[in-house]
Each structure stands twice: as structure tokens, then as C-alpha cells.
Amino acid sequence: MLRTLKSLCATLAISFASAAYADEVLLTVSGDVGLKGNKNTWTFDRKALEALPSKSIDTTTIWTEGTQSFEGVSLDVLLDHVQAEQGIIRAVALNDYAVTIPTSDATDGGPIVAYLRDGKAMSVRDKGPLWIIYPYDANEAYQSEEIYARSIWQLNRLEVVAQ
């Protein structure tokens, strides 16, 4: 009986943790987004990101072994969704590490904001929950130090600055 009760408690704890994680804000997009002249902030939990059209990229990376399959929302689709102005993106990780990405990188066939790797959600320990991934193998231009530097993991904020 005690074993059954422990098992039930563990199952409930996992269920509640999963439900809480589903509503947790994974990405905040702010700055020059929304209607012209307005400073808006968009927040996305996992369900909101998954509701946007998804794209998959199969590629090798300099940080992983072998070909990996990444799935997420294309950066161009995300920026279009939030009505981002042209300029630069300050992409910020959970530990406040930041990189600058020109909005011109956000093209069809360009980078995605990945939320799945090999079909599984990425933990913080595994460079998640979000990672900007370029299709490195599809275009030699994406195999440069400049592009690798833009491939920020543990992403949680995008700040758009119009130019």
C-alpha cells in the first residue's frame, strides 16, 4: 500500500510539473515589434510556439555529435508574427549572455528557434529550452565563426531594435 501511495504521489508530482512547464513563458520578444510606433512585448509558452508553423532542420553542429534533427519556428515567421521592424535582434540567454543578429538573417531557409532536438524537448542542461539553429550543412555561408556565434542556446529573450 505504501509503495502504491508513493507511486501515485510521484505520478501526480510529474503531472503537475509537466502542466506547469507547459504554461511557463519560454520566450519574450520585445522592442520594436507590433504596430509602428508602439513598444510591445510578446510572450510565448511552449504551446504558443508550437502553434506557429514549424520547420525542421537536419544538420550537424560544432557542439554535437553526428546529424541532429531540430524543429522549431522559423525566425522569419516569428518576426513576421510579432510585426518586428527591420534592424537588429539582441538575443539573450537564461544566464544573460547576449548576441546580436541582424534581422536580415531571418529569411526563408534561414535559422529557426528550435524547441525540439531529435523529437524531444531540450532541457536547460541540453542547451534548451530554445536554441537558434542555422541550417549549417545546407549552405557553406552558415559555416562561419560569425554565424556560430549567433547560434545562442538557452535562449529566452529577443529584443528587436529598428534601424
Side-chain angles (χ1 to χ4, degrees):
M1 169 113 171
L2 184 56
R3 182 180 293 184
T4 304
L5 184 56
K6 283 183 180 180
S7 177
L8 178 60
C9 288
T11 302
L12 288 173
I14 291 169
S15 297
F16 287 131
S18 297
Y21 182 70
D23 294 335
E24 178 184 349
V25 172
L26 297 182
L27 181 65
T28 302
V29 183
S30 63
D32 295 316
V33 295
L35 300 174
K36 284 192 177 283
N38 291 335
K39 298 281 185 185
N40 295 310
T41 299
W42 294 72
T43 58
F44 296 88
D45 62 9
R46 181 165 302 281
K47 287 181 184 179
L49 285 171
E50 290 174 347
L52 295 171
S54 67
K55 181 171 183 173
S56 294
I57 294 176
D58 293 333
T59 190
T60 57
T61 79
I62 62 172
W63 307 278
T64 58
E65 295 292 322
T67 301
Q68 308 285 307
S69 180
F70 295 93
E71 184 176 339
V73 60
S74 180
L75 188 58
D76 68 323
V77 168
L78 179 64
L79 293 183
D80 185 56
H81 181 76
V82 300
Q83 302 170 336
E85 297 290 323
Q86 293 296 311
I88 60 167
I89 304 163
R90 185 171 179 266
V92 185
L94 292 169
N95 65 357
D96 291 328
Y97 175 79
V99 299
T100 301
I101 303 170
T103 56
S104 59
D105 276 14
T107 61
D108 186 32
I112 65 172
V113 176
Y115 46 75
L116 295 178
R117 179 171 138 193
D118 293 331
K120 297 177 186 152
M122 295 176 286
S123 69
V124 170
R125 188 170 214 160
D126 191 29
K127 299 186 176 23
L130 303 175
W131 186 358
I132 293 183
I133 294 290
Y134 287 75
Y136 312 105
D137 294 346
N139 186 336
E140 198 170 290
Y142 291 139
Q143 298 171 17
S144 71
E145 289 301 315
E146 183 177 28
I147 297 298
Y148 294 142
R150 295 176 185 167
S151 303
I152 187 170
W153 55 77
Q154 296 178 340
L155 175 73
N156 74 336
R157 295 188 308 277
L158 296 176
E159 301 164 0
V160 179
V161 179
Q163 292 184 330

